[in-house]
Amino acid sequence: MLTIALLALLCASASANAIQLRSSSFNGEYGGSGGQRFSHSGNQLEGPITAIRVRVNNYYIVGLQVRYGKVWSDYVGGKQGDLEEIFLYPGESVIQVSGKYKRYLRKLVFVTDQHRYLAFGKDTGTSFNAAPLYPNTVLRFISGRAGSLINAIGLHWDYYPSECSSC
């Protein structure tokens, strides 16, 4: 009897892991090889992405900061350039990210499920287009590398959080 219970528990655990594997995906890193690594993986526990701050200069994406629920992530990148801030509508999610890079990130375009295109930066460099691998999943957090500029970005997708007390 104990063996059957243990086997059932093992199967349930494997099934839950398989479900998780089928919902999360990753795109990137897009950009150059320099900079210090950063990740907002822990920030996603605060809730869905609700706003994005991007600092840009004449040539590059200089810095990034993302609000998860009501909490802003740590700012990554440099201090030069103009700071732009976009708030998402309640329940709105990012479903695609495109952009351009060379040695550094040059352009970012966030596309939402409410058909908004939130564009930052200049239209030069190698293009990329990132979208989730699985249906009904959204951008949950970003990672990458940064120094005085954003060197590279990675995009992590999963289901929109079903319960969000801090949103």
Side-chain angles (χ1 to χ4, degrees):
M1 188 67 162
L2 181 61
T3 305
I4 293 173
L6 192 56
L7 184 57
L9 183 61
L10 184 61
C11 289
S13 175
S15 176
N17 287 340
I19 290 169
Q20 180 63 28
L21 290 174
R22 287 193 306 257
S23 66
S24 62
S25 59
F26 171 76
N27 299 114
E29 288 185 333
Y30 303 106
S33 60
Q36 298 284 355
R37 292 204 173 278
F38 71 89
S39 175
H40 292 173
S41 63
N43 296 88
Q44 69 177 320
L45 300 175
E46 299 293 337
I49 293 172
T50 55
I52 302 166
R53 287 180 181 151
V54 179
R55 186 175 298 276
V56 297
N57 67 16
N58 289 334
Y59 305 102
Y60 303 108
I61 303 292
V62 176
L64 287 169
Q65 190 174 27
V66 179
R67 192 174 82 165
Y68 297 87
K70 296 179 181 176
V71 179
W72 285 99
S73 68
D74 289 338
Y75 177 84
V76 294
K79 306 294 185 213
Q80 304 296 316
D82 298 322
L83 185 64
E84 300 177 31
E85 182 176 82
I86 301 287
F87 285 85
L88 275 64
Y89 301 136
E92 184 178 26
S93 295
V94 175
I95 58 169
Q96 179 182 355
V97 180
S98 61
K100 299 213 176 206
Y101 66 91
K102 198 163 184 178
R103 289 157 79 185
Y104 303 100
L105 208 53
R106 293 177 175 245
K107 182 174 186 172
L108 281 172
V109 180
F110 297 92
V111 180
T112 75
D113 55 359
Q114 293 191 16
H115 310 290
R116 290 203 298 160
Y117 293 78
L118 315 172
F120 307 92
K122 303 297 177 198
D123 201 16
T124 67
T126 302
S127 297
F128 70 88
N129 186 39
L133 185 58
Y134 299 104
N136 304 316
T137 58
V138 300
L139 184 64
R140 288 302 310 276
F141 70 95
I142 64 169
S143 62
R145 286 177 281 105
S148 59
L149 301 167
I150 301 300
N151 297 74
I153 192 168
L155 305 153
H156 302 261
W157 311 90
D158 207 334
Y159 288 117
Y160 188 89
S162 58
E163 293 182 22
C164 183
S165 59
S166 67
C167 301

